[in-house]
Amino acid sequence: MGTKLLSLACIRGTGAGDGYSGGLLGRPHYPSMPKYPKGVVVEVEEATEGRVLLSVSGMSCSACAGSVEKAVKRLPGIKEAVVDVLNNRAQVLFYPNFVNEETIREAIEDVGFEATIITEETNEKSTQICRILIKGMTCTTCSSTVESALRSIHGVHRAQVALATEEAEVLYDPIIVSHNQFIKTIEDTGFEPILISTGEDMSNISLQIDGPWNDFSINMIQESLQALPGVVKVDMDTNLRKCSVSYKADLTGPRSFIKVIESTGSGSSGPFKAKIFPKGGGRDSHRHEEINQYKRSFMWSLVFTVPVFLTSMVFMYIPGPKHLLDTKIVNMMTVGHLVRWILSTPVQFFIGRRFYTGSYKSLRHGSANMDVLIALGTNAAYFYSVYSVLRAAASPHFEATDFFETSAMLISFILLGKYLEVMAKGKTSEAIAKLMDLTPDTATLLSFDSQGNVVNEEEIDSRLIQRNDVIKILPGAKVASDGFVTWGQSHVNESMITGEARPVGKRKGDPVIGGTVNENGVLHIKATRVGSESALSQIVQLVESAQMAKAPVQKLADRISKFFVPLVIFFSFSTWLAWFLAGKFDGYPKSWIPSSMDSFQLALQFGISVMVIACPCALGLATPTAVMVGTGIGASQGVLIKGGQALESAHKVDCIVFDKTGTLTIGKPQVVNTRLLKNMVLKEFYELIAAAEVNSEHPLAKAIVEYAKKFRGDEENPVWAEAQNFESITGHGVRAIVQNKEIIVGNKSLILKKNINISIDAEEILTEIEELAQTGILVCIDGQLTGVLAISDPLKPGAREVISILGSMKVKSIVVTGDNWGTANSIAKEVGIDDVIAEAKPEDKAEKVKELQALGHVVAMVGDGINDSPALVAADVGMAIGAGTDIAIEAADIVLMKSNLEDVITAIDLSRKTFTRIRLNYIWALGYNLLGIPIAAGVLFPFTGFRLPPWIAGAAMAASSVSVVCCSLLLKYYKRPRMLETLEMQGITTV
């Protein structure tokens, strides 16, 4: 996923920077020049787009990035250009009819930087991620075995296997190894792998094909599909009549596949019909199938086990049936013995064969899992019973005591436990299912004639939408795909994605997000990102990856699991031997032995009970199930937590470093006051400084230019005077020659550096501005201080209350900003923060984080822009705020999709609640085994006469796993802290 995250991070809209400071500020953004040369009329919707990724060396700050972006956007035919100064890359969307990649590269070199075109295939495929569903894992021993096997493959960079989701995620080099080798390796370890996805730029779809299936037609369809451009792989499943296609969404799509399939079969082979395969053949269907398998196995086991239970424990106390069951057949073998033997055999060897299979595969690879314990325990009970019955049949004096009910009931209870466990585990990922359900089932596809008039409307499955399709969205309907508006006006409710409560106005050219709700007005949407590329899919992928990642606390369970089963077997054998020897050498009174058995049988029952009561599953599920539920709940609340590591670190946070602009403040600075120190017409004053600032990418510069536009009336894109010898002084301001006048716009330190005198009046004005928590910008014309601008960036609603709540949670708050000390102190005072670091460059922010860590603090950094990235990486927990739909921010551990500061509290509180649940799970799992094993071994028997029968021990083992999963599921009822529910933020109450 790394490459895609990089490209998404490259095109995100970063928040405003902090003052005139920092070496790496928010990315520049200049409006593109006209898309086509004058006089050329082309419909944008019909144009073919190209994309090029370039490596740009020589950029040292965002002023450089601004120069590159501006140079590219001056070219005709450029749709969008984004420069990532941190990674020295530029991504450009363009129209090949008017400009090519080489021209773009030369334009960058013309402004003084070295540019190289990155070959997409090489870059994209340097690493890939493969996701595989693994069936048959029962405990952490299984997942550890598979994980070790995958990691040992040459070319694998990282492999993670999650027991709770039953999935493996492998990061690998496709040049060295292929995903087929992963499938084979998993099969060799004894489990059944099912490929979910491979690669990063492929979409997958499964189609159901009805028609005359035979070898000829199968080959013909497969070859026809593989011949299509963009099709990577085609798999045919003859049993399910299913065709699975992996493809590149920018080159082809599912409707093309259906058309090819139906046209391929129109000849002598007969007609074919294709449609989307029900449930897509994905992991949900496999989970459903697994639930049904355990349910069927349990129901069949009941058919045989209930009669065994009745004949051994109920009918023996009813005279009529007892007489029949005690009737002897051969010597001392009775009807009851034979009936129980016959009924328990199918349960032991057919219904319970999964435990034999699992044991064999586990032992073959030198490990022992839960299946080994179950197989040993049930076999000991079954085969001793067989021996006892056969000895009774051969002897006229030996009275047999069988344990057939023990083996049959053990298997039945364990199957019931696994059935309940699988059902509960399925509920842990309900949050992901709800996210995926945001997309509508159907969409209205529009067809146009050559004049652009709608000629046809067709309702299709939303999964059949392809890139560049135009979709009609009616009022009240959900948007079917990511794209942009080509016709119509409306308001769209985007709260389910961005958290923005108020509907957002949409008109032609505005972007829309799939899954959001169109409130009023009809819209025509052109699809740009479909399938796995959509914002919703990206969120789901991020949450799924987070659920795969193991929390450090899980290492405890992994270490225990390596020795757990062998130790249990040792304890079980020791228990049997101790009780057997004690009985043989009269170590306890004969009265302790129940009348229906001897000392050997009593010892055997204790040994079997120890073996089957121990539960490695509960330990293995303690952490991942809680992490799954916690990350899923976080996603539903707009808090995307990237895995167990971030979750574990967040619950320990005791110090938060806040960026100012765009984090504590709204991030949209505005000029609120102008004070002239020389006689000058205000319009002429702003004409000069706007001409200089229009060349800067800084948020404050944009605010000045935006303010200057009002002196131009209704002119939307005014042309400013040409600025010569433009110079951006990083962290200070700009300098340029405009209309033969030297213009300097910047902070106080820049003016002093230029040896320009700052009058007492100007000093007083600056002090007054900073006391109002505003930023003061000085303007010099021809070496004379001419004016002072006051720029304000209002606090976010509820900022002060949030800081207060964090204080009550024993979390210290600090402001680190690139703005001046006066403004920083005023903002900090307003929100209630005592510790302030101002005029800090990005590297200074990271250093401050490291200083706090050296003092023993667990530090979270909350920021919104590129200039915060070094600090986000340095912090124990990086929180990116205000990300909107751009959820792929590499530097952050937690992405706060909404712009609400209170989500910082939600993230910390949710992590604390999740880890409380994990601790409870471990207390339950470890405590259960530590208490259960001694009781099963008969510690209480000498004092109380209490003995735990093996079948009850088996039921308890099954119940422990279910209990741990249900304990994790209680997180689904998580509510934000009550203090947030009633928090009044400047007249707005959160709900």
Side-chain angles (χ1 to χ4, degrees), residues 4 61 203 215 285 338 363 393 404 448 536 556 604 635 736 763 778 780 875 968 975:
K4 180 157 284 188
C61 64
S203 297
D215 291 341
S285 61
L338 185 61
L363 294 171
F404 286 121
F448 298 86
L536 208 53
L556 171 66
L604 183 64
E763 290 279 10
L778 300 173
C780 294
S968 295
K975 299 290 184 185

Side-chain angles (χ1 to χ4, degrees), residues 612-779:
V612 298
I613 199 170
C615 185
C617 284
L619 275 174
L621 293 170
T623 298
T625 52
V627 170
M628 281 183 70
V629 179
T631 51
I633 293 299
S636 67
Q637 303 246 359
V639 178
L640 300 183
I641 304 169
K642 294 184 179 180
Q645 173 74 57
L647 201 62
E648 183 164 345
S649 299
H651 95 281
K652 300 175 185 175
V653 165
D654 59 6
C655 180
I656 296 184
V657 176
F658 285 95
D659 173 41
K660 181 182 75 69
T661 307
T663 303
L664 290 174
T665 63
I666 290 175
K668 295 180 180 178
Q670 297 176 338
V671 177
V672 293
N673 196 6
T674 308
R675 302 284 289 275
L676 292 179
L677 303 174
K678 302 287 183 183
N679 289 323
M680 191 173 186
V681 178
L682 196 59
K683 179 179 179 181
E684 293 177 3
F685 174 76
Y686 271 104
E687 285 282 341
L688 292 173
I689 61 174
E693 291 284 28
V694 75
N695 297 284
S696 172
E697 83 293 342
H698 200 280
L700 298 185
K702 293 179 181 178
I704 293 170
V705 173
E706 199 63 34
Y707 187 78
K709 285 182 181 178
K710 77 174 193 175
F711 295 101
R712 291 289 192 94
D714 295 332
E715 194 174 346
E716 190 170 332
N717 292 306
V719 178
W720 306 101
E722 184 179 357
Q724 297 176 338
N725 301 328
F726 173 79
E727 180 185 3
S728 176
I729 301 109
T730 303
H732 297 286
V734 300
R735 174 191 170 278
I737 304 297
V738 180
Q739 296 177 356
N740 296 322
K741 294 179 181 178
E742 183 189 40
I743 309 296
I744 299 175
V745 185
N747 55 21
K748 183 178 177 180
S749 61
L750 175 61
I751 304 304
L752 293 175
K753 187 177 179 182
K754 294 295 183 180
N755 297 317
I756 298 172
N757 181 51
I758 300 178
S759 65
I760 296 175
D761 289 343
E763 290 279 10
E764 290 177 353
I765 293 170
L766 278 176
T767 303
E768 181 185 331
I769 288 172
E770 290 171 2
E771 285 176 353
L772 294 172
Q774 298 169 351
T775 301
I777 301 297
L778 300 173
V779 179

